[in-house]
Structure formats: C-alpha cells, structure tokens
Amino acid sequence: MAASTPELEADRQALIRLVQDEAVFHGDFTLSSGKKATYYVDMRKLTLDHRAAPAIGRIMLDLIADIPDIVAVGGLTLGADPIANAVMHESARTAHPLDAFVVRKEPKDHGRGRQIEGADVRGRRVVVVEDTSTTGQSALKAVEALRREGAEVVAVAVIVDRSTGAQVAIEAEGLEWRSAIGLADLGLDPQ
C-alpha cells in the first residue's frame, strides 16, 4: 500500500531499503508460530533505531489516518511498544493526537493488577499495531485483553505483512487488517 503523499512514500521507500539491508536475515529459522522459514524479518532492530523510528511513526500514522475516531494505538509488549510510541510522538504534531497503550502478556500480580497500561481504553476506539505478524496470535491476544477492558478495537496495523495467514485470522475476528510494506516490496516470496 503506497503512502498518501510523495513525502510519506519517500519515507516508506527509505524504510523498505533499511528493512532489506538490515532487518532481513536469510537461513533456517523457526518462527514464533512454530513454522519453518528460510528468512526472518527482524523489525525490532529497526523499530528501536533512530534512523527508522520517526519514519515508522509517520508511515503507520498515515496508514490509519482515515479510520474515524481513533484515540490510541498499542499492542502486545514488547514488539508493539516502540511502534505505538513512534505513532504517538508523530501524532502530537497533528490536529488529532493519539495516545499509546501497552498490553502485558499477563495481568500484573501486584499493584493495581492491570494488563493494559497507558491510555484509558474503556469505551474508546483503538488500533493494535505490530511490527510483523505470522499467524496474528500476538495481535489477537492484545485484542482479547483490550475487549475485556471495554475497548473497541477496529483494526490491526502492521509494518511488514509476511503473507502467512495473519490477515485471515485478524479479519475472521471482524477487524480490519492494514500493512505498510508487503513481501513484494522487499523482494521476498511468501513462505
């Protein structure tokens, strides 16, 4: 999916080059889903990189800009955290700033026992973000926790779509799927 302006598309193309050069590793890998792969896209290397994070914020904000009434973005810790923060920081420059939230894998066993930290999501429209997804299970775990908390999750947005079934799983839950970069953009074949 191309970005909405020439400047954002230039950001997206620069990010694609960074992903190709620094985040695609070839070899024999076992993905978190248990599936075998001949390459691995390690987006955490770039979501935490000063060269890529600002562009990720702009690109992901653009990707979800047309979804009405979104108030926050976030997802399952750890992968979603830098993306949500990049989007939040970039959105602060706009007329519609977004907050961020973090979904813990399990509720805390002390303090207030919260599973979702940051923005109050109860009764609010939110988007789950992720770096990449194989089966959609991490995003769906975040969606489940958000729904229990009373959030209205409307979409899942990923930086890189691996084309391995995550979109189908997300859409089966009645959510919209959005991705900024596809395998074809990276010159990779589906696995």
Side-chain angles (χ1 to χ4, degrees), residues 12 29 61 90 112 127 148 181:
R12 193 174 85 84
F29 299 95
L61 183 61
E90 195 58 38
R112 294 172 57 203
V127 172
R148 273 196 314 269
I181 298 171

Side-chain angles (χ1 to χ4, degrees), residues 17-140:
R17 286 188 297 281
L18 270 174
V19 172
Q20 290 170 319
D21 294 346
E22 298 187 25
V24 176
F25 296 88
H26 295 275
D28 293 318
F29 299 95
T30 301
L31 304 175
S32 61
S33 63
K35 293 181 179 181
K36 301 293 184 189
T38 58
Y39 61 81
Y40 181 73
V41 181
D42 184 359
M43 285 304 297
R44 289 189 183 122
K45 183 170 174 35
L46 292 177
T47 60
L48 295 165
D49 186 300
H50 72 279
R51 297 167 299 158
I56 287 170
R58 290 187 295 272
I59 292 162
M60 295 302 283
L61 183 61
D62 182 59
L63 188 65
I64 63 171
D66 65 323
I67 303 174
D69 305 319
I70 297 303
V71 297
V73 296
L76 198 62
T77 197
L78 175 84
D81 301 349
I83 303 162
N85 284 325
V87 172
M88 176 185 65
H89 285 283
E90 195 58 38
S91 76
R93 307 168 201 253
T94 72
H96 302 288
L98 300 174
D99 290 323
F101 58 84
V102 173
V103 180
R104 296 175 186 275
K105 292 184 171 123
E106 300 294 330
K108 279 175 44 174
D109 62 358
H110 59 282
R112 294 172 57 203
R114 296 176 56 98
Q115 187 170 6
I116 301 169
E117 300 289 354
D120 178 14
V121 298
R122 185 172 305 283
R124 302 174 89 196
R125 290 170 56 88
V126 302
V127 172
V128 169
V129 294
E130 266 203 293
D131 51 3
T132 185
S133 186
T134 303
T135 62
Q137 292 312 300
S138 292
L140 290 174

